[in-house]
Every structure is written in C-alpha cells, then in structure tokens.
C-alpha cells in the first residue's frame, strides 16, 4: 500500500507538474479519476495514512482547479479536509496539509465571488497556520503561511467592502513577510509575495480615499521590483509587476495634480507593457494594461495642451480594446 501511495503521489505530484509545463494535463486525468475513487473510499484510521490521503486529495483538487473544474475541486478539497481532520495528530505534516486544503476550499468560493464563504475557510487556514508556528520556528513555514492567510483574508475583506479590516490584514501580512525577508534578502519568491501584498494594500488605501498612502505603497512595490530586476532583468513576472506599479503611480499622480510625474511613470509603463504585449500577443491582461496606460497617457497630453498627441494615444488604446482575442492561442 505504501509503495502504491508513493507511485500515486508521484503521478499526481512531480509528474503532473512536468506535464503542466507542456500543457498536457489531460494525460493525467485517468490517473486522477482512478486515484480519486480509491482515496474517497479509503478510511484507514492510521494518522500517517490519513495525512497521505489528504495530501493526495489536495493535489487532485489542485489539478482540477488548473483544469477549471471548480465544482469537482470543491468536492475533492472537502474530502481532503475530512481526511486531514481524521488524522487527529498535532504534527507539522497534518497541520500543513490541513492549512493548504483550507486555502483551496476558500479559493474555490473566492473565484465564485462568495467572499463570506471564502473567509470562513481562510480563517481556518489562518488557524492551522498559527498552529504551525511553534512547530516550524527554524524555517519559518508557519509564519509564512500565517502571512499568506492574512493576505487572503484581506483580499476577501476588500472585495466585501470591509476596507479597514482589509487594511489591517494587509499591514500584518506585509510586516511578517518583511521580517522573514530580512533574514534572507535573496528570497525572490517571498519578495514577489510582498510586492503583491503592497499592491493590495495600495488598492485598499485608494478605495478608502487615502491617495497619498496608496502612492507610497505603489512606490514601495516599485522599489522592490526594481531591486530584483537588477539581478533577474528577464523574469517576466517582475517586469509586469513593475509596470503595473508604474501605471498606478502615474494614475494617482494625475489624480493628485502631478502631471509631470504621471507622464514619466506612464511612459515607462507603456514601454514595458508594449514589450510584454509583443512577447505574448494572446495575453489579454497585458493587452488591456497597455490600452489602459495609453488612455491615461492621453490625459497627460491634454493637460500639457497637446490634443493631437492625446488623440493619437486614444486611437492606439482603442485599437487594442477592439483587437480580437485568439482563444486558440491562449
């Protein structure tokens, strides 16, 4: 049984990840379906087996989300949660798997915009993460999971219009992650997580009318992006994140009356978005970001009494908005 579980774990884990990179996740469907049938029927009370079962179910649920099978994923994560509870062992593996399952259950609700339901699961995620803290002091896993849970609760609170609650979660999440980054300044994944949290913090501040605070948060995000772009200039996610930060600094500068700063930042953002759009024309998010930036640049031209330039920028933006999307290439 142990050998079989290891093989299933490999097929659903490392092997599935490799297939995902080449867009061949459909090849793992039959394995996942067969494994799901076994795992949902198994009821071995042994704690180790229950943890293994929960981990395998979590991986299947993850695969289902990648395939857009949200209803199936929700059922799978629910069974995984039952398996995690069945383990009844206060050990790192159980708490870690339970935390991840709670996250995915919340995410399944979040993508359906059921934010209250998502928060129920994410509070459970936070609880498991906090249990992990004394068990993982040396590597800080519990602290990192706690920060992630707080960020998730912040996003759900923001979407619910609970801006003060959201701001508190984002502030605490960023503080924890900054403390962890100070111990390992080269951790790019952690730094990128901070950049994303800073973006959410800025959105919350802007929604609450604190435009200056939002500007500071976006500038902090941009500074972090630029720091890591110096050592990894070709990494697309950092390039995109920096461009987004520049775009919003420019938009906020327009709103606060600093048209010169707006022009500088929006021009830099347009330049980067243009390169990214050429790199992958089918990426609709990059196309929209470029169009929005050009629309904002048109305002800076109008404020500078350049209506002809503004018209050209608007025309370029409209072309992008009207550009058909090649779904087959996505």
């Amino acid at each position: 049984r142990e050998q079989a579980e290891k093989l299933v774990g490999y097929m659903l884990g490392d092997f599935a990840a490799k297939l995902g990179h080449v867009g061949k996740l459909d090849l793992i469907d039959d394995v996942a379906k067969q494994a799901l049938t076994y795992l949902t029927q198994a009821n071995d009370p042994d704690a180790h087996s229950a943890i293994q079962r929960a981990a395998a179910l979590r991986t299947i649920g993850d695969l289902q989300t990648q395939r857009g099978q949200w209803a199936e994923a929700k059922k799978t994560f629910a069974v995984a949660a039952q398996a995690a509870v069945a383990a009844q062992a206060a050990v790192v593996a159980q708490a870690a798997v339970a935390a991840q399952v709670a996250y995915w259950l919340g995410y399944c609700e979040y993508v359906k915009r059921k934010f209250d339901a998502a928060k129920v699961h994410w509070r459970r995620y936070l609880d498991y993460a906090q249990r992990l803290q004394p068990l993982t002091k040396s590597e800080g896993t519990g602290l990192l999971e706690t920060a992630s849970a707080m960020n998730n609760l912040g996003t759900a609170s923001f979407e619910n219009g609970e801006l003060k609650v959201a701001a508190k979660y984002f502030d605490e999440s960023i503080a924890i992650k900054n403390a962890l980054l100070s111990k390992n300044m080269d951790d790019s994944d952690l730094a990128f997580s901070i950049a994303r949290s800073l973006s959410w913090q800025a959105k919350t501040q802007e929604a609450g009318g604190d435009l200056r605070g939002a500007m500071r948060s976006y500038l902090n995000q941009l500074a972090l992006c630029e720091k890591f772009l110096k050592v990894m200039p070709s990494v697309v996610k950092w390039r995109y994140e920096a461009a987004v930060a520049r775009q919003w600094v420019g938009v906020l500068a327009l709103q606060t009356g600093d048209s010169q700063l707006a022009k500088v930042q929006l021009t830099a953002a347009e330049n980067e978005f243009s390169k990214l759009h050429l790199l992958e024309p089918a990426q609709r998010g990059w196309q929209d970001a470029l169009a929005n930036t050009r629309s904002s640049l048109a305002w800076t031209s109008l404020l500078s009494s350049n209506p002809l330039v503004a018209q050209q920028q608007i025309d370029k933006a409209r072309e992008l908005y009207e550009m058909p999307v090649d779904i087959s290439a996505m």
Side-chain angles (χ1 to χ4, degrees), residues 123 126 150-151 153-154 157 165-173:
R123 287 192 191 100
L126 178 59
M150 286 179 171
N151 192 78
L153 284 164
S157 299
V165 175
K168 184 174 183 296
Y169 278 128
F170 292 134
D171 287 347
E172 292 179 2
S173 177

Side-chain angles (χ1 to χ4, degrees), residues 49-248:
S49 180
I51 291 171
Q52 292 273 64
R53 194 160 69 250
L57 285 162
R58 177 207 64 209
T59 304
I60 293 175
D62 189 0
L63 288 170
Q64 289 169 328
T65 62
Q66 293 181 52
R67 305 276 285 158
Q69 301 165 348
W70 298 106
E72 294 87 343
K74 183 178 178 180
K75 292 177 183 177
T76 301
F77 289 130
V79 179
Q82 293 173 1
V85 171
Q88 294 181 347
V91 296
V92 174
Q94 189 270 342
V97 170
Q100 292 161 12
V101 167
Y103 161 75
W104 281 110
L105 280 169
Y107 188 71
C108 286
E109 301 293 355
Y110 182 84
V111 296
K112 293 185 293 184
R113 301 191 65 78
K114 294 183 178 180
F115 304 120
D116 285 329
K119 287 174 71 174
V120 170
H121 294 296
W122 284 343
R123 287 192 191 100
R124 191 174 299 118
Y125 173 27
L126 178 59
D127 178 57
Y128 281 120
Q130 290 172 333
R131 291 188 205 179
L132 271 174
Q133 287 187 31
L135 302 172
T136 58
K137 281 186 177 180
S138 58
E139 65 269 29
T141 304
L143 272 174
L144 183 57
E145 292 287 358
T146 297
S148 297
M150 286 179 171
N151 192 78
N152 291 332
L153 284 164
T155 61
S157 299
F158 173 85
E159 297 291 0
N160 257 354
E162 302 163 350
L163 299 182
K164 289 184 179 179
V165 175
K168 184 174 183 296
Y169 278 128
F170 292 134
D171 287 347
E172 292 179 2
S173 177
I174 291 168
I176 291 172
K177 287 187 281 193
N178 275 331
L180 290 171
L181 186 64
S182 68
K183 299 176 182 177
N184 184 5
M185 298 300 289
D186 296 327
D187 190 336
S188 62
D189 289 336
L190 177 57
F192 189 78
S193 177
I194 295 172
R196 296 298 304 128
S197 291
L198 285 166
S199 179
W200 276 105
Q201 183 187 56
K203 288 173 65 176
T204 303
Q205 291 166 322
E206 182 185 4
D210 182 10
L211 301 187
R212 299 290 181 184
M215 176 82 79
R216 285 193 299 272
S217 295
Y218 280 126
L219 286 171
N220 288 336
Q221 179 191 17
L222 179 58
L224 187 60
C225 292
E226 289 179 330
K227 174 185 174 182
F228 279 85
L229 279 170
K230 288 179 180 178
V231 293
M232 44 181 65
S234 62
V235 176
V236 168
K237 69 177 183 179
W238 279 113
R239 291 171 59 189
Y240 176 75
E241 202 69 20
V244 169
R246 288 188 183 280
Q247 177 193 11
W248 283 107

Side-chain angles (χ1 to χ4, degrees), residues 240 276-277 279-289 325 329-330:
Y240 176 75
L276 290 171
H277 179 54
L279 185 66
E280 194 171 339
Q283 173 55 266
R284 187 57 187 256
W286 298 352
Q287 178 178 308
D288 289 346
V325 178
M330 298 180 68

Side-chain angles (χ1 to χ4, degrees), residues 314-330:
I314 285 294
D315 289 343
K316 287 182 179 180
R318 189 177 66 245
E319 289 174 5
L320 286 166
Y321 285 130
E322 296 172 353
M323 186 180 293
V325 178
D326 183 3
I327 297 177
S328 65
M330 298 180 68

